[in-house]
Amino acid sequence: AAAASVEGRGGEDGTLTLVEQVEEVLLGLCGKDPAAFVHIGMVTQEAQKRAARSSERLSKKWYESHRGSFELKKFHHGPGGDEWRVRLAEDARQRLVARLQERDMEKQRGRELIIAEQMLPKLSADSLPRTLREKEVAALLSLLAREGKHPSQGMAVALLSRLCTGKTSGPKELIIECSPFPPALLMRSIVALEKQRRERWVKE
């Protein structure tokens, strides 16, 4: 699954450093074991295809100079059969997993915001549909904050009230149901909305 996520990145490489690109290539070649050692030549060949515009040469020395990301090991296969292999360092694996997860969350948020944009003009603050899910409410709040759209007075307050008084049993469940919109993003949206226009927030 990790390899599929890496391979499906598309044209986002311009936002990554060369080290980050090689990390993702290496993870994609690891198969089911993210801690596996992979032949250094195979990693280099695939990474150079992906980072063709980079002027840096991927050599054994290059991998050794980035010990925070890579671990090298020589494997012996009889006379003249030694080969160098490389794997992701533990800290690098954790950073990479977090980066891939956030990338997936960004894609999910993008899809929810498209739906929210289509939904917003049809809503009014005094008659929000009972079928609105928590993540849809979170997407609408985020959209209002991002674009400064207020289709009807009190919409932000109504959405926040729905979020806080919905069917979830507690804060933990609410956080789960609001995914892919994390609590920090929701708080920034509320602060932005308050700056745009003073809302009469429900004190509770």
Side-chain angles (χ1 to χ4, degrees):
S5 297
V6 172
E7 292 168 358
R9 290 190 64 265
E12 299 172 2
D13 288 345
T15 64
L16 298 176
T17 66
L18 179 60
V19 171
E20 289 172 335
Q21 292 182 55
V22 178
E23 287 175 351
E24 296 194 3
V25 167
L26 179 50
L27 181 65
L29 293 171
C30 284
K32 295 181 179 180
D33 182 7
F37 280 94
V38 180
H39 192 289
I40 194 171
M42 184 184 301
V43 179
T44 297
Q45 183 178 11
E46 291 301 314
Q48 286 177 334
K49 290 178 185 177
R50 180 162 160 177
R53 289 176 293 180
S54 175
S55 59
E56 291 188 63
R57 182 173 175 270
L58 301 181
S59 62
K60 175 175 169 287
K61 186 176 180 179
W62 183 90
Y63 289 98
E64 289 175 334
S65 69
H66 296 90
R67 294 187 182 278
S69 292
F70 309 107
E71 295 178 8
L72 287 171
K73 185 176 180 180
K74 182 186 283 188
F75 285 76
H76 301 283
H77 301 288
D82 294 348
E83 66 178 28
W84 283 97
R85 295 194 177 194
V86 61
R87 73 174 179 182
L88 287 168
E90 176 62 29
D91 288 348
R93 287 202 299 272
Q94 293 178 6
R95 291 194 304 269
L96 179 50
V97 168
R99 190 162 71 238
L100 294 174
Q101 288 176 341
E102 177 54 28
R103 185 180 301 150
D104 288 340
M105 294 288 273
E106 285 179 2
K107 290 179 180 178
Q108 292 178 44
R109 285 195 291 270
R111 291 192 291 267
E112 291 298 332
L113 286 169
I114 291 173
I115 295 172
E117 195 160 30
Q118 297 169 346
M119 189 186 306
L120 188 58
K122 305 172 185 177
L123 300 178
S124 62
D126 56 358
S127 60
L128 292 177
R130 294 182 179 180
T131 54
L132 275 180
R133 295 172 297 170
E134 283 80 359
K135 68 177 180 179
E136 291 173 332
V137 176
L140 287 163
L141 280 168
S142 182
L143 184 66
L144 286 174
R146 180 179 297 186
E147 302 186 5
K149 292 182 177 179
H150 291 267
S152 67
Q153 187 174 6
M155 176 63 77
V157 173
L159 288 169
L160 184 60
S161 178
R162 171 62 65 85
L163 199 62
C164 296
T165 60
K167 56 188 177 182
T168 53
S169 59
K172 184 177 180 179
E173 185 181 349
L174 181 60
I175 290 172
I176 294 172
E177 292 299 324
C178 284
S179 179
F181 296 90
L185 181 58
L186 285 174
M187 289 306 300
R188 287 199 298 271
S189 297
I190 293 168
V191 170
L193 286 166
E194 179 67 6
K195 287 180 179 178
Q196 290 170 15
R197 188 168 101 182
R198 302 296 293 182
E199 295 281 1
R200 294 184 178 179
W201 301 106
V202 179
K203 292 182 179 181
E204 299 87 285

